[in-house]
């Protein structure tokens, strides 16, 4: 049995959380050739494009999100098309983590590893929704700052969750953005502003798909001190980043 709802284990459902966990552990542990320890990571999937000034915006956002309660910053004010894009004044909106693209702080990653058993045994196949649920139940950073305009655009019209939406308005909007020219509004926000309008309330119900002990054990193995090891695919990944150095 693959989850609490009686569904059989599915490689389709489990692959994303396994990959995200492995990737995060690999990158956070990576040796960047004598550089100071990296204290934040910008994460997004491969089918996104970004605004020209996104890295300057990230620096400004991280400077504002300094408190221990901050998960980091997120880059899509609509949370993947769920909420409205227009929020009024230009600036950074304070909220709670929902999904990427995101900039995660190292201390947030450390807090995830501290509650690895909860992360790895929660019957939720989505890595981001696992973090959302944990933020309600354990002591870990969950506040984020987000630019009041989108600084990323999702141009992929395919994917494990997108394909399930069939002819929904969300999928139609994604397909429209994937076909059209991408335009970013200028963003020069330097301070925190109040959001105008409502945001979607998070459903606390878990989605399942992550109840098989083999998946949970593998996840725990990735987050222990031994981690992902030093051979095989880790060496290959490092060679892609540093050209075999």
């Amino acid at each position: 049995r693959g989850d609490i709802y009686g569904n059989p284990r599915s490689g389709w459902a489990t692959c994303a959380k396994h990959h995200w966990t492995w990737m995060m552990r690999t990158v956070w542990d990576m040796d960047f050739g004598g550089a100071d320890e990296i204290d934040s990571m910008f994460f997004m999937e491969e089918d996104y494009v970004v605004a020209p000034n996104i890295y300057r915006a990230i620096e400004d956002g991280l400077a504002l999100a300094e408190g221990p309660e901050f998960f980091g910053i997120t880059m899509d004010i609509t949370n993947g098309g769920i909420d409205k894009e227009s929020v009024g004044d230009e600036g950074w909106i304070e909220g709670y983590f929902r999904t990427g693209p995101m900039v995660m702080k190292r201390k947030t990653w450390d807090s995830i590893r501290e509650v690895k058993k909860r992360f790895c045994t929660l019957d939720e196949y989505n890595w981001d929704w696992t973090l959302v649920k944990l933020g309600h139940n354990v002591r870990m950073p969950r506040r984020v700052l987000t630019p009041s305009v989108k600084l990323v655009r999702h141009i992929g019209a395919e994917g494990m969750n997108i394909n399930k939406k069939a002819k929904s308005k969300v999928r139609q909007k994604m397909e429209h953005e994937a076909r059209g020219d991408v335009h970013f509004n200028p963003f020069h926000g330097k301070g925190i502003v109040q959001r105008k309008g409502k945001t979607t309330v998070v459903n606390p119900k878990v989605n399942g798909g992550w109840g098989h002990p083999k998946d949970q054990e593998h996840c725990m193995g990735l987050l222990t001190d031994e981690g992902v090891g030093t051979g095989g695919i880790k060496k290959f990944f490092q060679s892609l980043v540093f050209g075999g150095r």
Side-chain angles (χ1 to χ4, degrees):
R1 194 174 70 170
D3 61 19
I4 57 175
Y5 304 113
N7 297 309
R9 182 189 179 277
S10 166
W12 170 90
T14 60
C15 63
K17 189 170 176 179
H18 279 308
H19 180 261
W20 185 86
T21 306
W22 169 84
M23 177 199 64
M24 296 298 283
R25 179 66 195 270
T26 299
V27 175
W28 282 120
D29 287 359
M30 189 172 290
D31 179 5
F32 285 91
D36 293 337
E37 185 177 73
I38 304 301
D39 60 5
S40 57
M41 180 202 300
F42 178 26
F43 167 79
M44 66 177 176
E45 296 176 358
E46 76 284 354
D47 53 355
Y48 277 83
V49 292
V50 302
N53 66 331
I54 191 167
Y55 291 110
R56 178 57 185 271
I58 287 173
E59 291 178 344
D60 293 340
L62 287 174
L64 292 172
E66 288 185 327
E69 73 277 13
F70 278 102
F71 177 102
I73 60 178
T74 56
M75 310 310 298
D76 179 4
I77 193 63
T78 73
N79 285 309
I82 297 173
D83 296 320
K84 291 184 178 180
E85 185 168 350
S86 177
V87 295
D89 297 332
E90 182 179 70
W92 292 85
I93 310 298
E94 188 170 349
Y96 295 104
F97 174 77
R98 294 277 297 277
T99 189
M102 64 190 183
V103 180
M104 177 188 284
K105 294 186 174 186
R106 180 178 288 275
K107 65 180 180 61
T108 302
W109 172 245
D110 291 341
S111 71
I112 294 171
R113 290 193 61 195
E114 288 173 2
V115 296
K116 57 182 175 291
K117 186 173 182 179
R118 298 289 294 273
F119 177 85
C120 290
T121 58
L122 184 70
D123 196 358
E124 172 60 62
Y125 73 92
N126 297 290
W127 64 265
D128 47 0
W129 283 102
T130 301
L131 297 180
V132 170
K133 308 301 193 237
L134 290 181
H136 285 282
N137 299 317
V138 301
R139 294 181 63 86
M140 61 175 291
R142 55 189 292 249
R143 287 190 172 275
V144 295
L145 294 178
T146 308
S148 55
V149 298
K150 291 180 71 170
L151 297 184
V152 295
R153 295 280 176 178
H154 189 198
I155 60 171
E158 299 291 334
M160 64 182 294
N161 287 320
I162 298 173
N163 291 340
K164 293 193 303 180
K165 299 182 186 302
K167 296 183 178 180
S168 70
K169 291 183 179 180
V170 173
R171 175 165 182 143
Q172 290 173 12
K173 182 178 180 180
M174 286 181 160
E175 290 176 339
H176 175 76
E177 288 195 355
R179 288 192 299 266
D181 293 332
V182 176
H183 172 74
F184 291 101
N185 294 322
F187 177 74
H188 306 288
K190 300 295 183 181
I192 298 175
V193 298
Q194 295 295 317
R195 180 176 191 131
K196 296 181 180 179
K198 297 181 179 179
T199 58
T200 306
V201 177
V202 174
N203 184 350
K205 181 181 178 181
V206 295
N207 290 297
W210 191 264
H212 198 284
K214 290 296 184 182
D215 293 307
Q216 297 175 1
E217 291 169 8
H218 181 68
C219 176
M220 286 289 291
L222 290 173
L223 295 180
T224 58
D225 290 340
E226 292 77 13
V228 295
T230 59
I233 196 161
K234 184 174 182 178
K235 288 183 177 178
F236 174 70
F237 184 81
Q238 188 129 347
S239 72
L240 293 178
V241 177
F242 297 113
R245 176 167 62 82

